[in-house]
Amino acid sequence: MAFVDLPAPLREEYLLGGKRLVVSSGHLAKQAAGSCTVSLQDTSVLAAVTASKKPRQGLPDFVPLTVDYREKTYAAGRIPGGFFKREGRPRDKEILSSRLTDRSLRPLFPEGFSYDIMVQILTLSSDQENDSDLLAILAASTSLVLSDLPFLGPVAAVRLGRLENRWTLNPTFAERQESSVDLVIAGTKNGIVLVEGGGDEIEENLFLEAFEFAQEPIRQLCDLQLRLLQKRSPVKRPLPSPETPAGLENAVMEKALAPLREALRKHLPKQELDGAVQNLRGEILAALAETFPGMDAAIQKSLEDLLYREIRTMTLEGLRADGRRWDEIRPISIEVPALARTHGSALFTRGQTQALATVTLGTPQDMQIMDQLEGEYKERFLFHYNFPGFSTGEVKPERGPGRREIGHGALARRALEPLLPEEEVFPYTIRLVSDILESNGSSSMASTCGGSLALFQAGVPLKAPCAGIAMGLVLEGDKYAILSDITGLEDHFGDMDFKVAGTARGITAFQMDVKIESVPIPILKEALLQAQKGRRLILEKMNAALPTPQ
């Protein structure tokens, strides 16, 4: 009997922060398009990548990527809680870890790649000292690098803590409790693609220092993946060629460019601009229906591309779609209190983004029991973010919080948590709810501002008021524009969404996503300093409305 020889498993080792890291492929999940196991000490994860055989037709400019990270309780020698004694829907920690991996990978798929992609990550073993969330990013990236998918990676991530005024690489759970900073940085060999984390009113220069510190281990982890790639050299799928008929783009430009420019330069509110673009879309489809029959999707794609180029060109020339300067903040209004019978409330409106924040105080018995892989604990500060469909004029039923709501709520919670009084001083359970009533960009940062005001109005003695701002970027070659307080349109057509929250003294929360392969560190430094100015301006408005806890 003859047996088919399978490729030998691949293996690379690296010393990460003094801990042994092992990356291997070809041993588990071999029927996936790509798979990888990553271990740090006795914590290990498995990532497996699959993709559809055919591209999805008629898909807008969006990568159909799904990342699902799951922590198996057997990994820590535990039995799940609850009646059924098996894992059910993902916990918030698993959703946040899925988002962390998704946001690290998404910018690195080539434009036009419309195959459905699934990245599934399982925590196989947990020593309950080293977090598996960063291993998931490395395992997912390695799986994609070794697969047949045209991934523009590799990408890698590290976590930084700060103990005794020194940076610590990939601190343990115990060290993170003592650290003044908890920061995740993901990047390629050329720059940063994601930043997530926060600290205890950390000065901007420390965050800039963290970017520099993280670069070398990220480069080393990317090189490790490239060494594995050299041993396997998979044949990558070809990119689908665009099927745009000759002359279509010119025809769309000829009919749409002038009215599009006119609409953009009127600085219309969001709904009016959306309506103008929608009307123009209908006119163009009708005008070109006879010349290009059955090509509605291609016509709309050409119009979208034209809108993308025009907004970016206009922005680089110094003119934003709503008429503001690059560093200008939208008008702010504050109502404190906003409601009569709540313990604390505030209505924070910035431009066309409006957050209603409410605070409810409870007893220690109201704390939420958190069942995590690391064990159970009680949470005294609950932050719940809601984004109903009417906030953007959409017809959308409520089906409970999705990944977006959980992610935005976690960011706003991270911004405010370091400023809470100690439990011995203020022995209440605190529930803060942010209902977004209107949205045109930066609703998580509006939730941070409104949440800070509502906590003050409820009499919670925060260490200081907290504000947040979202920064954007348009980058074309050597030209770039850094935008303060971005709108939804600027987020959609820009290259970066960079949120910074904190007090007048320093930063408490930080999150950055990009849509390009990476952002150079000098641009990040400039954006961080511009965000500082904007944050302090917003704090002035908040202090004028409610300077101290009531």
Short mmCIF file of all heavy atoms in Angstrom, two decimals, residues 279-320:
data_model
loop_
_atom_site.label_atom_id
_atom_site.label_comp_id
_atom_site.label_asym_id
_atom_site.label_seq_id
_atom_site.Cartn_x
_atom_site.Cartn_y
_atom_site.Cartn_z
N ASN A 279 -29.96 61.70 -5.94
CA ASN A 279 -30.67 62.21 -7.12
C ASN A 279 -29.76 62.18 -8.36
O ASN A 279 -30.20 61.82 -9.45
CB ASN A 279 -31.16 63.64 -6.87
CG ASN A 279 -32.28 63.68 -5.85
OD1 ASN A 279 -32.98 62.69 -5.63
ND2 ASN A 279 -32.46 64.83 -5.21
N LEU A 280 -28.48 62.57 -8.15
CA LEU A 280 -27.54 62.56 -9.26
C LEU A 280 -27.33 61.13 -9.76
O LEU A 280 -27.25 60.89 -10.98
CB LEU A 280 -26.22 63.18 -8.83
CG LEU A 280 -25.10 63.22 -9.88
CD1 LEU A 280 -25.53 64.02 -11.10
CD2 LEU A 280 -23.82 63.79 -9.27
N ARG A 281 -27.28 60.18 -8.84
CA ARG A 281 -27.10 58.78 -9.22
C ARG A 281 -28.26 58.32 -10.12
O ARG A 281 -28.05 57.66 -11.14
CB ARG A 281 -27.01 57.91 -7.97
CG ARG A 281 -26.77 56.44 -8.26
CD ARG A 281 -26.67 55.62 -6.99
NE ARG A 281 -25.44 55.92 -6.26
CZ ARG A 281 -25.40 56.53 -5.08
NH1 ARG A 281 -26.52 56.94 -4.49
NH2 ARG A 281 -24.25 56.76 -4.48
N GLY A 282 -29.47 58.68 -9.72
CA GLY A 282 -30.62 58.31 -10.53
C GLY A 282 -30.59 58.94 -11.91
O GLY A 282 -30.92 58.29 -12.93
N GLU A 283 -30.18 60.21 -11.99
CA GLU A 283 -30.10 60.90 -13.28
C GLU A 283 -29.05 60.26 -14.19
O GLU A 283 -29.27 60.09 -15.40
CB GLU A 283 -29.77 62.38 -13.05
CG GLU A 283 -30.88 63.16 -12.35
CD GLU A 283 -30.43 64.56 -11.97
OE1 GLU A 283 -29.29 64.94 -12.36
OE2 GLU A 283 -31.18 65.26 -11.27
N ILE A 284 -27.91 59.90 -13.62
CA ILE A 284 -26.83 59.31 -14.42
C ILE A 284 -27.24 57.93 -14.92
O ILE A 284 -27.00 57.56 -16.09
CB ILE A 284 -25.52 59.22 -13.60
CG1 ILE A 284 -25.06 60.61 -13.17
CG2 ILE A 284 -24.43 58.52 -14.40
CD1 ILE A 284 -24.78 61.56 -14.30
N LEU A 285 -27.88 57.13 -14.06
CA LEU A 285 -28.33 55.80 -14.48
C LEU A 285 -29.34 55.91 -15.62
O LEU A 285 -29.29 55.13 -16.59
CB LEU A 285 -28.95 55.07 -13.29
CG LEU A 285 -27.99 54.54 -12.23
CD1 LEU A 285 -28.76 54.03 -11.01
CD2 LEU A 285 -27.12 53.43 -12.79
N ALA A 286 -30.25 56.88 -15.51
CA ALA A 286 -31.25 57.05 -16.57
C ALA A 286 -30.60 57.53 -17.86
O ALA A 286 -30.95 57.07 -18.96
CB ALA A 286 -32.32 58.04 -16.11
N ALA A 287 -29.64 58.45 -17.76
CA ALA A 287 -29.01 59.03 -18.95
C ALA A 287 -28.15 58.01 -19.69
O ALA A 287 -28.01 58.09 -20.92
CB ALA A 287 -28.18 60.24 -18.55
N LEU A 288 -27.56 57.05 -18.97
CA LEU A 288 -26.64 56.11 -19.60
C LEU A 288 -27.24 54.72 -19.80
O LEU A 288 -26.55 53.80 -20.25
CB LEU A 288 -25.36 55.98 -18.75
CG LEU A 288 -24.54 57.27 -18.57
CD1 LEU A 288 -23.32 57.00 -17.71
CD2 LEU A 288 -24.12 57.85 -19.91
N ALA A 289 -28.51 54.57 -19.48
CA ALA A 289 -29.15 53.25 -19.57
C ALA A 289 -29.14 52.71 -20.99
O ALA A 289 -28.93 51.50 -21.21
CB ALA A 289 -30.57 53.32 -19.03
N GLU A 290 -29.36 53.58 -21.96
CA GLU A 290 -29.42 53.13 -23.34
C GLU A 290 -28.04 52.84 -23.90
O GLU A 290 -27.83 51.87 -24.64
CB GLU A 290 -30.12 54.19 -24.19
CG GLU A 290 -30.44 53.73 -25.60
CD GLU A 290 -31.29 54.74 -26.35
OE1 GLU A 290 -32.10 55.43 -25.70
OE2 GLU A 290 -31.14 54.84 -27.58
N THR A 291 -27.05 53.67 -23.54
CA THR A 291 -25.69 53.50 -24.06
C THR A 291 -25.01 52.29 -23.43
O THR A 291 -24.25 51.57 -24.10
CB THR A 291 -24.85 54.77 -23.77
OG1 THR A 291 -25.57 55.91 -24.22
CG2 THR A 291 -23.51 54.69 -24.47
N PHE A 292 -25.27 52.06 -22.12
CA PHE A 292 -24.63 50.94 -21.41
C PHE A 292 -25.71 50.10 -20.74
O PHE A 292 -25.88 50.13 -19.52
CB PHE A 292 -23.64 51.47 -20.37
CG PHE A 292 -22.54 52.31 -20.94
CD1 PHE A 292 -22.62 53.71 -20.91
CD2 PHE A 292 -21.42 51.73 -21.50
CE1 PHE A 292 -21.61 54.49 -21.44
CE2 PHE A 292 -20.40 52.51 -22.02
CZ PHE A 292 -20.50 53.89 -22.00
N PRO A 293 -26.47 49.33 -21.53
CA PRO A 293 -27.57 48.54 -20.96
C PRO A 293 -27.07 47.44 -20.02
O PRO A 293 -26.05 46.80 -20.29
CB PRO A 293 -28.25 47.94 -22.20
CG PRO A 293 -27.18 47.94 -23.25
CD PRO A 293 -26.33 49.14 -22.98
N GLY A 294 -27.78 47.27 -18.89
CA GLY A 294 -27.42 46.22 -17.95
C GLY A 294 -26.16 46.48 -17.16
O GLY A 294 -25.65 45.56 -16.51
N MET A 295 -25.65 47.72 -17.20
CA MET A 295 -24.38 48.03 -16.52
C MET A 295 -24.60 48.98 -15.34
O MET A 295 -23.74 49.80 -15.03
CB MET A 295 -23.39 48.64 -17.51
CG MET A 295 -23.03 47.75 -18.69
SD MET A 295 -22.30 46.18 -18.15
CE MET A 295 -20.82 46.74 -17.35
N ASP A 296 -25.75 48.86 -14.67
CA ASP A 296 -26.04 49.77 -13.55
C ASP A 296 -24.99 49.71 -12.45
O ASP A 296 -24.58 50.73 -11.90
CB ASP A 296 -27.41 49.45 -12.96
CG ASP A 296 -28.55 49.92 -13.87
OD1 ASP A 296 -28.24 50.38 -14.99
OD2 ASP A 296 -29.72 49.84 -13.45
N ALA A 297 -24.55 48.48 -12.12
CA ALA A 297 -23.55 48.34 -11.05
C ALA A 297 -22.24 49.02 -11.43
O ALA A 297 -21.62 49.69 -10.60
CB ALA A 297 -23.31 46.86 -10.76
N ALA A 298 -21.81 48.84 -12.68
CA ALA A 298 -20.56 49.48 -13.13
C ALA A 298 -20.69 51.00 -13.17
O ALA A 298 -19.75 51.72 -12.84
CB ALA A 298 -20.18 48.94 -14.51
N ILE A 299 -21.87 51.50 -13.55
CA ILE A 299 -22.09 52.96 -13.58
C ILE A 299 -22.02 53.51 -12.16
O ILE A 299 -21.38 54.54 -11.90
CB ILE A 299 -23.46 53.27 -14.23
CG1 ILE A 299 -23.43 52.91 -15.72
CG2 ILE A 299 -23.81 54.75 -14.06
CD1 ILE A 299 -24.79 52.98 -16.39
N GLN A 300 -22.67 52.84 -11.22
CA GLN A 300 -22.65 53.31 -9.83
C GLN A 300 -21.24 53.24 -9.24
O GLN A 300 -20.83 54.12 -8.47
CB GLN A 300 -23.62 52.49 -8.99
CG GLN A 300 -25.07 52.70 -9.38
CD GLN A 300 -26.03 52.07 -8.37
OE1 GLN A 300 -26.13 52.51 -7.23
NE2 GLN A 300 -26.74 51.04 -8.80
N LYS A 301 -20.49 52.19 -9.60
CA LYS A 301 -19.11 52.09 -9.13
C LYS A 301 -18.27 53.24 -9.67
O LYS A 301 -17.46 53.85 -8.94
CB LYS A 301 -18.52 50.75 -9.57
CG LYS A 301 -17.04 50.53 -9.21
CD LYS A 301 -16.85 50.45 -7.72
CE LYS A 301 -15.48 49.89 -7.34
NZ LYS A 301 -14.36 50.67 -7.86
N SER A 302 -18.44 53.59 -10.93
CA SER A 302 -17.69 54.70 -11.52
C SER A 302 -18.05 56.03 -10.85
O SER A 302 -17.19 56.88 -10.62
CB SER A 302 -17.95 54.79 -13.02
OG SER A 302 -17.42 53.66 -13.69
N LEU A 303 -19.34 56.19 -10.52
CA LEU A 303 -19.78 57.41 -9.84
C LEU A 303 -19.20 57.48 -8.43
O LEU A 303 -18.77 58.55 -7.97
CB LEU A 303 -21.30 57.47 -9.80
CG LEU A 303 -21.92 58.72 -9.17
CD1 LEU A 303 -21.49 59.97 -9.92
CD2 LEU A 303 -23.44 58.61 -9.15
N GLU A 304 -19.18 56.35 -7.75
CA GLU A 304 -18.60 56.30 -6.40
C GLU A 304 -17.10 56.63 -6.44
O GLU A 304 -16.59 57.36 -5.59
CB GLU A 304 -18.83 54.92 -5.80
CG GLU A 304 -18.36 54.75 -4.36
CD GLU A 304 -19.30 55.38 -3.35
OE1 GLU A 304 -20.37 55.86 -3.74
OE2 GLU A 304 -18.95 55.39 -2.16
N ASP A 305 -16.41 56.09 -7.45
CA ASP A 305 -14.98 56.39 -7.59
C ASP A 305 -14.76 57.87 -7.87
O ASP A 305 -13.80 58.48 -7.36
CB ASP A 305 -14.38 55.56 -8.73
CG ASP A 305 -14.31 54.07 -8.39
OD1 ASP A 305 -14.44 53.74 -7.20
OD2 ASP A 305 -14.13 53.27 -9.32
N LEU A 306 -15.62 58.46 -8.66
CA LEU A 306 -15.51 59.88 -8.96
C LEU A 306 -15.74 60.72 -7.71
O LEU A 306 -15.01 61.69 -7.44
CB LEU A 306 -16.54 60.26 -10.04
CG LEU A 306 -16.54 61.72 -10.51
CD1 LEU A 306 -15.20 62.10 -11.14
CD2 LEU A 306 -17.69 61.97 -11.48
N LEU A 307 -16.74 60.35 -6.90
CA LEU A 307 -17.01 61.04 -5.64
C LEU A 307 -15.82 60.92 -4.71
O LEU A 307 -15.41 61.89 -4.06
CB LEU A 307 -18.27 60.45 -5.01
CG LEU A 307 -18.70 61.02 -3.66
CD1 LEU A 307 -19.02 62.50 -3.77
CD2 LEU A 307 -19.92 60.26 -3.12
N TYR A 308 -15.23 59.72 -4.64
CA TYR A 308 -14.04 59.47 -3.80
C TYR A 308 -12.89 60.40 -4.20
O TYR A 308 -12.30 61.08 -3.35
CB TYR A 308 -13.64 58.00 -3.97
CG TYR A 308 -12.33 57.60 -3.32
CD1 TYR A 308 -12.28 57.23 -1.98
CD2 TYR A 308 -11.15 57.57 -4.06
CE1 TYR A 308 -11.09 56.85 -1.39
CE2 TYR A 308 -9.96 57.19 -3.48
CZ TYR A 308 -9.94 56.83 -2.14
OH TYR A 308 -8.74 56.46 -1.56
N ARG A 309 -12.60 60.46 -5.49
CA ARG A 309 -11.47 61.29 -5.95
C ARG A 309 -11.74 62.77 -5.73
O ARG A 309 -10.84 63.52 -5.32
CB ARG A 309 -11.21 61.02 -7.43
CG ARG A 309 -10.67 59.63 -7.73
CD ARG A 309 -10.15 59.53 -9.16
NE ARG A 309 -11.18 59.82 -10.15
CZ ARG A 309 -11.96 58.90 -10.69
NH1 ARG A 309 -11.85 57.64 -10.32
NH2 ARG A 309 -12.86 59.24 -11.61
N GLU A 310 -12.98 63.19 -5.97
CA GLU A 310 -13.29 64.61 -5.86
C GLU A 310 -13.23 65.10 -4.42
O GLU A 310 -12.71 66.17 -4.13
CB GLU A 310 -14.68 64.88 -6.45
CG GLU A 310 -15.01 66.35 -6.62
CD GLU A 310 -14.04 67.10 -7.51
OE1 GLU A 310 -13.42 66.48 -8.40
OE2 GLU A 310 -13.89 68.32 -7.31
N ILE A 311 -13.76 64.30 -3.49
CA ILE A 311 -13.73 64.70 -2.07
C ILE A 311 -12.28 64.77 -1.58
O ILE A 311 -11.88 65.71 -0.87
CB ILE A 311 -14.55 63.71 -1.23
CG1 ILE A 311 -16.04 63.95 -1.45
CG2 ILE A 311 -14.21 63.84 0.25
CD1 ILE A 311 -16.94 62.99 -0.72
N ARG A 312 -11.47 63.82 -1.96
CA ARG A 312 -10.08 63.81 -1.51
C ARG A 312 -9.29 64.96 -2.13
O ARG A 312 -8.48 65.60 -1.44
CB ARG A 312 -9.45 62.45 -1.84
CG ARG A 312 -10.04 61.31 -1.03
CD ARG A 312 -9.58 59.96 -1.52
NE ARG A 312 -8.18 59.74 -1.31
CZ ARG A 312 -7.64 59.23 -0.22
NH1 ARG A 312 -8.41 58.89 0.80
NH2 ARG A 312 -6.34 59.05 -0.13
N THR A 313 -9.51 65.21 -3.40
CA THR A 313 -8.82 66.34 -4.05
C THR A 313 -9.21 67.66 -3.40
O THR A 313 -8.36 68.51 -3.11
CB THR A 313 -9.15 66.37 -5.55
OG1 THR A 313 -8.72 65.15 -6.15
CG2 THR A 313 -8.48 67.54 -6.24
N MET A 314 -10.50 67.84 -3.15
CA MET A 314 -10.99 69.05 -2.53
C MET A 314 -10.40 69.22 -1.13
O MET A 314 -10.00 70.33 -0.72
CB MET A 314 -12.52 68.99 -2.46
CG MET A 314 -13.19 70.28 -2.06
SD MET A 314 -15.00 70.17 -2.25
CE MET A 314 -15.39 69.14 -0.83
N THR A 315 -10.32 68.11 -0.38
CA THR A 315 -9.77 68.17 0.98
C THR A 315 -8.30 68.56 0.96
O THR A 315 -7.86 69.39 1.76
CB THR A 315 -9.95 66.81 1.68
OG1 THR A 315 -11.34 66.47 1.71
CG2 THR A 315 -9.42 66.86 3.10
N LEU A 316 -7.52 67.96 0.08
CA LEU A 316 -6.09 68.28 -0.01
C LEU A 316 -5.86 69.72 -0.43
O LEU A 316 -4.81 70.30 -0.11
CB LEU A 316 -5.40 67.32 -0.99
CG LEU A 316 -5.25 65.87 -0.51
CD1 LEU A 316 -4.76 64.98 -1.63
CD2 LEU A 316 -4.29 65.79 0.68
N GLU A 317 -6.83 70.32 -1.11
CA GLU A 317 -6.72 71.74 -1.48
C GLU A 317 -7.12 72.66 -0.34
O GLU A 317 -7.08 73.88 -0.50
CB GLU A 317 -7.60 72.00 -2.71
CG GLU A 317 -7.09 71.34 -3.99
CD GLU A 317 -8.07 71.45 -5.14
OE1 GLU A 317 -9.22 71.92 -4.90
OE2 GLU A 317 -7.71 71.07 -6.27
N GLY A 318 -7.53 72.07 0.79
CA GLY A 318 -7.82 72.88 1.97
C GLY A 318 -9.29 73.12 2.21
O GLY A 318 -9.65 73.90 3.10
N LEU A 319 -10.18 72.45 1.46
CA LEU A 319 -11.61 72.69 1.59
C LEU A 319 -12.31 71.39 1.95
O LEU A 319 -12.39 70.46 1.15
CB LEU A 319 -12.18 73.23 0.26
CG LEU A 319 -13.65 73.66 0.27
CD1 LEU A 319 -13.86 74.84 1.21
CD2 LEU A 319 -14.10 74.01 -1.14
N ARG A 320 -12.82 71.30 3.19
CA ARG A 320 -13.57 70.13 3.61
C ARG A 320 -15.00 70.20 3.11
O ARG A 320 -15.51 71.29 2.80
CB ARG A 320 -13.53 69.99 5.13
CG ARG A 320 -12.14 69.78 5.66
CD ARG A 320 -12.06 69.85 7.18
NE ARG A 320 -12.67 68.70 7.84
CZ ARG A 320 -12.56 68.45 9.14
NH1 ARG A 320 -11.85 69.28 9.91
NH2 ARG A 320 -13.13 67.40 9.67
#
